[in-house]
Amino acid sequence: METFDFLMQGFGVAMLPKNLLIALIGAFIGTVVGMLPGLGPINGVAILLPFAFALGLPPESALILLAAVYLGCEYGGRISAILLNVPGSAAAVMTSLDGNPLAVQGKAGIALSISAVASFIGSTIATIGVVLFAPLLANWAVSFGPAEYFVLMVFAICCLSGLVGDQPIKTAVSALIGLGLATVGVDAVTGIYRYTFDSVNLSDGIQFTTIVIGFFSVSEILILLERTSTGGKIIAQGKRSLFNLKEFLFTIGAMVRSGIMGFFVGILPGAGATIASAMTYASERKIAGDSGKFGEGDLRGLASPEAANNASACGSFVPMLTLGVPGSGTTAVMMGALTLYNITPGPQLFTEQPDIVWGLIASLFICNVILLVMNIPLVGVFSKLLNVPNYILIPSIAAISFVGVYSINSTTFDMVFMVGLGIFGYFLRKLHFPLSALILGYVLGELMESNLRRALSISQGEMSILWSSPITVSLWGLVVVMIFMPIIRKMYRKRFKRTAA
């Protein structure tokens, strides 16, 4: 009952006219930023953070603005992933697997509307979880040490074997390429340069923006040019711009399951929406079995990662507010906003600054409603992007890609390197190597290495720390299951064919 009273107090803060306007502006800006390939929620929040402070906004209003931008970016990332096959962020990579095939089939409006509802359901489930279980779940997340996180990363990589088609070898190779790219740069422990080839431009590693835009955006431009030169039609807009009741009922189970799983992944500091979307996609693919058409335009393959990444985004507020530990890169930036106001996040924040905490939590509910109401009517507008002539669309994608990469370090090297990666990605796509596995391998690579080193440092080099707790043993068991799952599935299909014959 006390929690409900605090939540009502939070709604009193969040529904002030000024804060409602701030939430609306933040949601719109976040959606636009999320649409732009390579920017993502971290950049959106980081850009607006100094503006929020310079405008003299009180801390609760500043956090509401940044939270609205965060959620808006998670909503907006799906738009370019579905329409252009260019994910706006790493979390939207999984969305493109089935979202873009749906757009190619003339179901862009259906894909955009069902993904908006999935984002709303996932975020709402997670926000309810934040209200009800924040302290309990934060304590559970503390039990994850570096060894547990490392094994969790291994499990996430193994999940990739079931993500795309029935070619686990090519999927594993793609993931290994991504892991290899993550090792470029200065070794954080020894300070030694690795795989930089004496290039100063590679000393800080390969930027995520360069990776994702190169492999997805540039390779997509080459694919579009190839189709155009052969006279192929790119994408038809389709007749319907909204899903129907049958399609909603078909996906609601995946939305709810993925929203719950995404929330639990989100409360683990550092896990993030990328892992949540990958795990839920793999889970739903296993549940669907042979009846699913994942990778070819299955609505469940679109709804599950969208529900998961938005749920994870909301879940990442739990460790930030209750432990003072950022649950994601974006919440780490938001913690910087609190420090600007001389506020220290942690358990005492709930008692010392209840207006800030509960105002932020209440604003999550409000922002989700705003984003749903904003996105559904704009489905038709977004779908119109498909009617843009290729001689305008392709240069526009290229221009946005080059600007996005150049804005990070302001070097021509990154742009040239991006083009090289794009050409490499084009050949990988032609050979049917899944780029989603490569991107996820790159994203998880740094986390895997840092947690492995921390774990071995704690154990003074003893490898047994990696299987010394019940959590690590359980995760290793899941790893074994995921490794042998493709083999078992292949044997089952052969036996089924023999029986049918």
Side-chain angles (χ1 to χ4, degrees):
M1 193 65 185
E2 184 180 0
T3 299
F4 180 77
D5 293 337
F6 278 124
L7 182 60
M8 290 299 101
Q9 180 181 343
F11 271 109
V13 174
M15 295 189 72
L16 292 173
K18 178 180 69 174
N19 290 337
L20 284 175
L21 178 61
I22 287 173
L24 179 62
I25 294 172
F28 177 77
I29 293 175
T31 301
V32 174
V33 171
M35 288 175 59
L36 301 176
L39 289 183
I42 295 181
N43 291 311
V45 171
I47 290 170
L48 281 183
L49 175 56
F51 283 99
F53 188 71
L55 290 173
L57 296 178
E60 60 271 16
S61 298
L63 282 179
I64 288 172
L65 173 64
L66 299 181
V69 173
Y70 187 9
L71 295 184
C73 287
E74 296 295 343
Y75 271 75
R78 79 194 201 286
I79 298 170
S80 57
I82 292 171
L83 298 181
L84 305 175
N85 198 28
V86 181
S89 63
V93 169
M94 309 314 302
T95 301
S96 65
L97 295 182
D98 285 278
N100 188 249
L102 284 166
V104 172
Q105 297 165 20
K107 300 177 180 178
I110 298 171
L112 287 169
S113 58
I114 204 75
S115 63
V117 173
S119 299
F120 174 78
I121 290 176
S123 296
T124 303
I125 289 173
T127 307
I128 293 173
V130 172
V131 173
L132 298 178
F133 307 114
L136 175 64
L137 293 174
N139 290 333
W140 176 70
V142 173
S143 63
F144 270 68
E148 286 76 11
Y149 275 115
F150 171 75
V151 185
L152 179 64
M153 302 301 118
V154 174
F155 172 63
I157 293 291
C158 291
C159 282
L160 298 177
S161 63
L163 291 181
V164 185
D166 297 309
Q167 303 184 61
I169 301 300
K170 288 186 175 181
T171 305
V173 170
S174 290
L176 289 174
I177 293 173
L179 289 172
L181 292 172
T183 62
V184 176
V186 178
D187 188 313
V189 176
T190 63
I192 297 175
Y193 287 91
R194 304 183 301 185
Y195 311 115
T196 60
F197 303 100
D198 296 326
S199 173
V200 177
N201 295 291
L202 292 175
S203 59
D204 291 332
I206 306 172
Q207 298 294 328
F208 170 75
T209 304
T210 306
I211 292 279
V212 72
I213 292 183
F215 278 112
F216 279 90
S217 184
V218 175
S219 67
E220 184 67 21
I221 289 172
L222 295 175
I223 293 291
L224 287 173
L225 288 172
E226 180 186 44
R227 291 175 182 172
T228 303
S229 64
T230 56
K233 189 176 182 181
I234 306 301
I235 297 177
Q237 182 178 342
K239 297 179 180 179
R240 281 196 293 135
S241 60
L242 293 175
F243 61 89
N244 55 33
L245 180 61
K246 181 180 178 180
E247 290 161 342
F248 175 73
L249 294 177
F250 180 67
T251 56
I252 183 63
M255 294 179 191
V256 174
R257 287 189 295 268
S258 300
I260 295 172
M261 186 182 298
F263 171 60
F264 278 92
V265 173
I267 65 171
L268 300 174
T274 305
I275 297 176
S277 59
M279 291 177 64
T280 54
Y281 187 95
S283 175
E284 289 302 318
R285 193 172 189 273
K286 295 292 187 297
I287 292 173
D290 294 335
S291 65
K293 295 182 179 179
F294 281 61
E296 301 174 9
D298 195 304
L299 284 173
R300 293 167 295 184
L302 169 66
S304 57
E306 275 304 299
N309 60 40
N310 283 271
S312 177
C314 292
S316 65
F317 285 100
V318 172
M320 183 192 84
L321 294 174
T322 58
L323 298 175
V325 177
S328 64
T330 309
T331 51
V333 177
M334 294 183 69
M335 282 185 62
L338 289 173
T339 58
L340 287 176
Y341 290 96
N342 296 318
I343 297 173
T344 303
Q348 298 301 318
L349 191 62
F350 280 80
T351 55
E352 295 176 358
Q353 302 278 0
D355 283 352
I356 293 177
V357 174
W358 291 102
L360 173 61
I361 293 173
S363 74
L364 298 179
F365 286 104
I366 295 172
C367 289
N368 279 312
V369 174
I370 290 174
L371 284 162
L372 181 66
V373 173
M374 180 186 300
N375 276 265
I376 292 296
L378 291 178
V379 163
V381 177
F382 295 143
S383 298
K384 294 293 183 183
L385 289 173
L386 302 177
N387 293 332
V388 176
N390 292 328
Y391 62 82
I392 296 177
L393 180 63
I394 294 175
S396 299
I397 297 174
I400 292 173
S401 300
F402 278 99
V403 170
V405 168
Y406 187 78
S407 64
I408 302 300
N409 291 325
S410 301
T411 64
T412 54
F413 174 85
D414 286 345
M415 294 191 291
V416 175
F417 193 61
M418 174 195 71
V419 173
L421 291 177
I423 295 172
F424 180 43
Y426 168 77
F427 286 109
L428 287 178
R429 291 178 66 172
K430 298 297 287 185
L431 295 172
H432 305 290
F433 282 84
L435 295 184
S436 56
L438 187 152
I439 298 296
L440 290 170
Y442 170 81
V443 171
L444 299 179
E446 184 179 353
L447 291 172
M448 287 183 67
E449 181 182 10
S450 61
N451 282 291
L452 175 61
R453 290 193 166 196
R454 287 170 55 201
L456 293 179
S457 176
I458 292 172
S459 66
Q460 297 181 343
E462 288 292 330
M463 295 290 292
S464 59
I465 191 174
L466 300 178
W467 52 82
S468 60
S469 70
I471 295 176
T472 54
V473 171
S474 301
L475 288 172
W476 280 121
L478 293 173
V479 167
V480 172
V481 171
M482 293 304 298
I483 290 175
F484 287 99
M485 185 64 71
I487 301 173
I488 296 172
R489 187 170 56 201
K490 190 173 182 180
M491 293 174 59
Y492 174 79
R493 286 180 177 175
K494 286 184 177 180
R495 183 177 299 179
F496 179 78
K497 289 180 180 179
R498 289 175 184 172
T499 305

